[in-house]
Short mmCIF file of all heavy atoms in Angstrom, two decimals:
data_model
loop_
_atom_site.label_atom_id
_atom_site.label_comp_id
_atom_site.label_asym_id
_atom_site.label_seq_id
_atom_site.Cartn_x
_atom_site.Cartn_y
_atom_site.Cartn_z
N THR A 284 4.37 -0.80 0.82
CA THR A 284 4.52 -0.39 2.21
C THR A 284 3.56 -1.13 3.11
O THR A 284 2.46 -1.54 2.70
CB THR A 284 4.26 1.15 2.36
OG1 THR A 284 2.88 1.47 2.07
CG2 THR A 284 5.18 1.90 1.46
N LEU A 357 4.59 1.25 -7.10
CA LEU A 357 4.55 1.60 -5.69
C LEU A 357 3.16 1.35 -5.19
O LEU A 357 2.21 1.91 -5.66
CB LEU A 357 4.93 3.12 -5.52
CG LEU A 357 4.78 3.59 -4.11
CD1 LEU A 357 5.70 2.90 -3.07
CD2 LEU A 357 5.08 5.12 -4.05
N VAL A 358 3.04 0.50 -4.16
CA VAL A 358 1.79 0.23 -3.46
C VAL A 358 1.81 0.91 -2.10
O VAL A 358 2.57 0.48 -1.20
CB VAL A 358 1.54 -1.22 -3.36
CG1 VAL A 358 0.11 -1.49 -2.61
CG2 VAL A 358 1.57 -1.95 -4.72
N ASN A 359 1.07 2.01 -1.95
CA ASN A 359 0.97 2.69 -0.67
C ASN A 359 -0.06 2.02 0.20
O ASN A 359 -1.27 2.33 0.05
CB ASN A 359 0.63 4.14 -0.87
CG ASN A 359 1.80 4.97 -1.40
OD1 ASN A 359 2.93 4.87 -0.85
ND2 ASN A 359 1.58 5.76 -2.43
N ASN A 360 0.34 1.09 0.99
CA ASN A 360 -0.63 0.31 1.75
C ASN A 360 -0.51 0.57 3.27
O ASN A 360 -1.54 0.40 3.97
CB ASN A 360 -0.36 -1.19 1.50
CG ASN A 360 -1.06 -2.05 2.53
OD1 ASN A 360 -2.29 -2.24 2.49
ND2 ASN A 360 -0.34 -2.65 3.49
N SER A 387 3.02 8.75 3.03
CA SER A 387 2.66 8.20 1.72
C SER A 387 2.87 9.24 0.63
O SER A 387 3.43 8.91 -0.46
CB SER A 387 1.21 7.72 1.71
OG SER A 387 1.05 6.66 2.64
N TRP A 388 2.48 10.45 0.95
CA TRP A 388 2.69 11.53 -0.04
C TRP A 388 4.19 11.74 -0.29
O TRP A 388 4.61 11.85 -1.49
CB TRP A 388 2.09 12.81 0.54
CG TRP A 388 2.53 14.08 -0.23
CD1 TRP A 388 2.04 14.51 -1.40
CD2 TRP A 388 3.55 15.00 0.22
NE1 TRP A 388 2.65 15.69 -1.70
CE2 TRP A 388 3.57 16.03 -0.78
CE3 TRP A 388 4.35 15.04 1.30
CZ2 TRP A 388 4.51 17.12 -0.70
CZ3 TRP A 388 5.31 16.10 1.41
CH2 TRP A 388 5.35 17.09 0.42
N THR A 391 5.88 8.81 -2.23
CA THR A 391 5.43 8.91 -3.66
C THR A 391 6.21 10.02 -4.38
O THR A 391 6.72 9.76 -5.50
CB THR A 391 3.92 9.16 -3.76
OG1 THR A 391 3.28 8.11 -3.06
CG2 THR A 391 3.49 9.17 -5.19
N ARG A 406 3.41 2.70 -12.09
CA ARG A 406 2.15 2.46 -11.49
C ARG A 406 2.16 2.81 -10.03
O ARG A 406 3.04 2.30 -9.30
CB ARG A 406 1.67 1.04 -11.67
CG ARG A 406 1.65 0.53 -13.16
CD ARG A 406 0.56 1.06 -13.95
NE ARG A 406 0.50 0.60 -15.29
CZ ARG A 406 1.08 1.17 -16.34
NH1 ARG A 406 1.87 2.27 -16.17
NH2 ARG A 406 0.97 0.62 -17.51
N ILE A 407 1.19 3.62 -9.58
CA ILE A 407 1.03 3.97 -8.14
C ILE A 407 -0.34 3.46 -7.75
O ILE A 407 -1.34 3.90 -8.33
CB ILE A 407 1.22 5.47 -7.97
CG1 ILE A 407 2.63 5.91 -8.36
CG2 ILE A 407 0.97 5.81 -6.48
CD1 ILE A 407 2.84 7.44 -8.48
N ILE A 408 -0.33 2.62 -6.72
CA ILE A 408 -1.62 2.06 -6.23
C ILE A 408 -1.75 2.37 -4.76
O ILE A 408 -0.90 2.01 -3.94
CB ILE A 408 -1.52 0.54 -6.47
CG1 ILE A 408 -1.37 0.18 -7.93
CG2 ILE A 408 -2.88 -0.09 -5.96
CD1 ILE A 408 -0.95 -1.21 -8.17
N ASN A 409 -2.80 3.08 -4.41
CA ASN A 409 -3.07 3.45 -3.10
C ASN A 409 -4.15 2.54 -2.47
O ASN A 409 -5.23 2.49 -3.04
CB ASN A 409 -3.49 4.96 -2.98
CG ASN A 409 -2.42 5.89 -3.42
OD1 ASN A 409 -1.25 5.74 -2.99
ND2 ASN A 409 -2.78 6.85 -4.23
N ILE A 410 -3.83 1.87 -1.39
CA ILE A 410 -4.84 1.00 -0.73
C ILE A 410 -5.59 1.89 0.28
O ILE A 410 -5.03 2.37 1.24
CB ILE A 410 -4.17 -0.16 -0.02
CG1 ILE A 410 -3.28 -0.97 -0.99
CG2 ILE A 410 -5.27 -1.05 0.59
CD1 ILE A 410 -4.02 -1.58 -2.18
N THR A 411 -6.88 2.09 -0.03
CA THR A 411 -7.68 3.02 0.84
C THR A 411 -8.72 2.21 1.60
O THR A 411 -8.42 1.16 2.14
CB THR A 411 -8.23 4.19 -0.02
OG1 THR A 411 -9.09 3.63 -1.00
CG2 THR A 411 -7.09 4.95 -0.66
N SER A 412 -9.97 2.61 1.57
CA SER A 412 -10.99 1.91 2.31
C SER A 412 -12.40 2.40 2.00
O SER A 412 -12.59 3.57 1.67
CB SER A 412 -10.81 2.05 3.82
OG SER A 412 -11.90 1.44 4.52
N LYS A 429 -8.08 7.85 4.70
CA LYS A 429 -8.41 7.11 3.52
C LYS A 429 -9.05 7.94 2.40
O LYS A 429 -8.76 7.81 1.22
CB LYS A 429 -9.29 5.89 3.85
CG LYS A 429 -8.63 4.89 4.80
CD LYS A 429 -7.30 4.42 4.24
CE LYS A 429 -6.63 3.33 5.06
NZ LYS A 429 -5.42 2.85 4.51
N ALA A 431 -8.54 11.11 2.06
CA ALA A 431 -7.46 11.93 1.57
C ALA A 431 -6.60 11.26 0.53
O ALA A 431 -6.20 11.84 -0.50
CB ALA A 431 -6.59 12.40 2.75
N LEU A 432 -6.39 9.93 0.75
CA LEU A 432 -5.57 9.15 -0.25
C LEU A 432 -6.31 9.05 -1.55
O LEU A 432 -5.70 9.05 -2.60
CB LEU A 432 -5.24 7.79 0.37
CG LEU A 432 -4.06 7.77 1.33
CD1 LEU A 432 -3.89 6.41 2.00
CD2 LEU A 432 -2.78 8.18 0.61
N ASP A 433 -7.65 8.86 -1.45
CA ASP A 433 -8.45 8.85 -2.74
C ASP A 433 -8.38 10.18 -3.45
O ASP A 433 -8.29 10.23 -4.66
CB ASP A 433 -9.86 8.43 -2.42
CG ASP A 433 -10.04 6.96 -2.14
OD1 ASP A 433 -9.20 6.16 -2.60
OD2 ASP A 433 -11.00 6.56 -1.45
N ALA A 434 -8.41 11.26 -2.75
CA ALA A 434 -8.28 12.61 -3.34
C ALA A 434 -6.91 12.73 -3.90
O ALA A 434 -6.75 13.29 -5.03
CB ALA A 434 -8.57 13.67 -2.30
N PHE A 435 -5.89 12.24 -3.23
CA PHE A 435 -4.50 12.21 -3.71
C PHE A 435 -4.43 11.48 -5.04
O PHE A 435 -3.79 11.96 -6.02
CB PHE A 435 -3.60 11.58 -2.66
CG PHE A 435 -2.19 11.41 -3.00
CD1 PHE A 435 -1.45 12.45 -3.49
CD2 PHE A 435 -1.56 10.18 -2.83
CE1 PHE A 435 -0.05 12.32 -3.82
CE2 PHE A 435 -0.16 10.00 -3.12
CZ PHE A 435 0.55 11.09 -3.61
N THR A 436 -5.06 10.36 -5.10
CA THR A 436 -5.08 9.52 -6.36
C THR A 436 -5.62 10.38 -7.52
O THR A 436 -4.99 10.45 -8.60
CB THR A 436 -5.98 8.28 -6.18
OG1 THR A 436 -5.29 7.39 -5.25
CG2 THR A 436 -6.29 7.63 -7.46
N ARG A 437 -6.74 11.04 -7.33
CA ARG A 437 -7.36 11.76 -8.44
C ARG A 437 -6.49 12.95 -8.84
O ARG A 437 -6.29 13.21 -10.05
CB ARG A 437 -8.78 12.25 -7.98
CG ARG A 437 -9.74 11.06 -7.79
CD ARG A 437 -11.10 11.58 -7.48
NE ARG A 437 -12.08 10.52 -7.18
CZ ARG A 437 -12.46 10.06 -5.99
NH1 ARG A 437 -11.97 10.69 -4.90
NH2 ARG A 437 -13.33 9.12 -5.89
N LEU A 439 -3.19 13.51 -8.29
CA LEU A 439 -1.89 13.12 -8.79
C LEU A 439 -1.97 12.65 -10.29
O LEU A 439 -1.15 12.95 -11.07
CB LEU A 439 -1.25 12.09 -7.99
CG LEU A 439 0.21 11.71 -8.33
CD1 LEU A 439 1.17 12.90 -8.41
CD2 LEU A 439 0.74 10.60 -7.41
N LEU A 449 0.37 5.64 -14.19
CA LEU A 449 -1.04 5.53 -13.79
C LEU A 449 -1.23 5.49 -12.26
O LEU A 449 -0.45 4.86 -11.56
CB LEU A 449 -1.64 4.21 -14.37
CG LEU A 449 -1.54 4.08 -15.88
CD1 LEU A 449 -2.23 2.85 -16.37
CD2 LEU A 449 -1.99 5.28 -16.69
N VAL A 450 -2.17 6.25 -11.76
CA VAL A 450 -2.43 6.35 -10.30
C VAL A 450 -3.82 5.89 -10.04
O VAL A 450 -4.78 6.53 -10.53
CB VAL A 450 -2.20 7.80 -9.79
CG1 VAL A 450 -2.18 7.78 -8.27
CG2 VAL A 450 -0.90 8.32 -10.38
N ASN A 451 -3.97 4.92 -9.19
CA ASN A 451 -5.33 4.43 -8.83
C ASN A 451 -5.42 4.02 -7.33
O ASN A 451 -4.34 3.79 -6.73
CB ASN A 451 -5.71 3.24 -9.74
CG ASN A 451 -5.92 3.61 -11.15
OD1 ASN A 451 -6.93 4.23 -11.44
ND2 ASN A 451 -5.04 3.21 -12.00
N SER A 452 -6.64 4.02 -6.87
CA SER A 452 -6.90 3.44 -5.49
C SER A 452 -7.57 2.18 -5.59
O SER A 452 -8.46 1.97 -6.45
CB SER A 452 -7.79 4.45 -4.69
OG SER A 452 -7.07 5.64 -4.38
N VAL A 453 -7.32 1.28 -4.61
CA VAL A 453 -8.14 0.12 -4.32
C VAL A 453 -8.75 0.31 -2.96
O VAL A 453 -7.97 0.41 -2.01
CB VAL A 453 -7.31 -1.16 -4.41
CG1 VAL A 453 -8.21 -2.39 -4.12
CG2 VAL A 453 -6.64 -1.36 -5.80
N ALA A 454 -10.10 0.33 -2.89
CA ALA A 454 -10.74 0.59 -1.63
C ALA A 454 -11.40 -0.67 -1.11
O ALA A 454 -12.52 -1.04 -1.60
CB ALA A 454 -11.78 1.65 -1.83
N PRO A 455 -10.80 -1.39 -0.22
CA PRO A 455 -11.40 -2.62 0.33
C PRO A 455 -12.60 -2.32 1.19
O PRO A 455 -12.66 -1.26 1.80
CB PRO A 455 -10.29 -3.20 1.19
CG PRO A 455 -9.03 -2.58 0.76
CD PRO A 455 -9.45 -1.19 0.33
N ILE A 489 -8.14 -8.54 -2.50
CA ILE A 489 -7.66 -7.21 -2.70
C ILE A 489 -6.38 -7.16 -3.45
O ILE A 489 -6.15 -6.37 -4.41
CB ILE A 489 -7.51 -6.44 -1.32
CG1 ILE A 489 -8.73 -6.55 -0.47
CG2 ILE A 489 -7.08 -5.02 -1.49
CD1 ILE A 489 -10.00 -6.09 -1.08
N ALA A 493 -4.90 -5.25 -6.98
CA ALA A 493 -3.67 -4.50 -7.04
C ALA A 493 -2.73 -5.02 -8.07
O ALA A 493 -2.08 -4.25 -8.83
CB ALA A 493 -3.01 -4.46 -5.67
N LEU A 496 -3.87 -4.00 -11.53
CA LEU A 496 -3.45 -2.62 -11.86
C LEU A 496 -1.96 -2.52 -12.13
O LEU A 496 -1.52 -1.64 -12.88
CB LEU A 496 -3.87 -1.71 -10.73
CG LEU A 496 -5.44 -1.49 -10.54
CD1 LEU A 496 -5.64 -0.73 -9.20
CD2 LEU A 496 -5.99 -0.78 -11.69
N THR A 506 -8.72 6.54 -10.66
CA THR A 506 -9.95 5.85 -10.31
C THR A 506 -9.86 5.14 -8.91
O THR A 506 -8.79 4.69 -8.54
CB THR A 506 -10.25 4.78 -11.40
OG1 THR A 506 -10.51 5.43 -12.61
CG2 THR A 506 -11.53 3.89 -10.99
N VAL A 507 -10.97 5.09 -8.24
CA VAL A 507 -11.10 4.31 -7.01
C VAL A 507 -11.86 3.02 -7.36
O VAL A 507 -13.03 3.09 -7.78
CB VAL A 507 -11.82 5.09 -5.92
CG1 VAL A 507 -11.92 4.27 -4.67
CG2 VAL A 507 -11.10 6.40 -5.61
N ILE A 508 -11.21 1.94 -7.25
CA ILE A 508 -11.85 0.64 -7.47
C ILE A 508 -12.33 0.06 -6.13
O ILE A 508 -11.51 -0.22 -5.24
CB ILE A 508 -10.90 -0.34 -8.21
CG1 ILE A 508 -10.50 0.25 -9.55
CG2 ILE A 508 -11.54 -1.74 -8.36
CD1 ILE A 508 -9.51 -0.66 -10.31
#
Side-chain angles (χ1 to χ4, degrees):
T284 66
L357 172 63
V358 181
N359 286 312
N360 167 74
S387 297
W388 166 80
T391 303
R406 304 288 183 269
I407 297 166
I408 302 163
N409 297 315
I410 306 297
T411 60
S412 174
K429 296 305 185 180
L432 281 172
D433 284 334
F435 176 51
T436 290
R437 296 185 180 100
L439 184 58
L449 307 183
V450 190
N451 291 289
S452 289
V453 179
I489 307 305
L496 290 173
T506 295
V507 180
I508 299 178

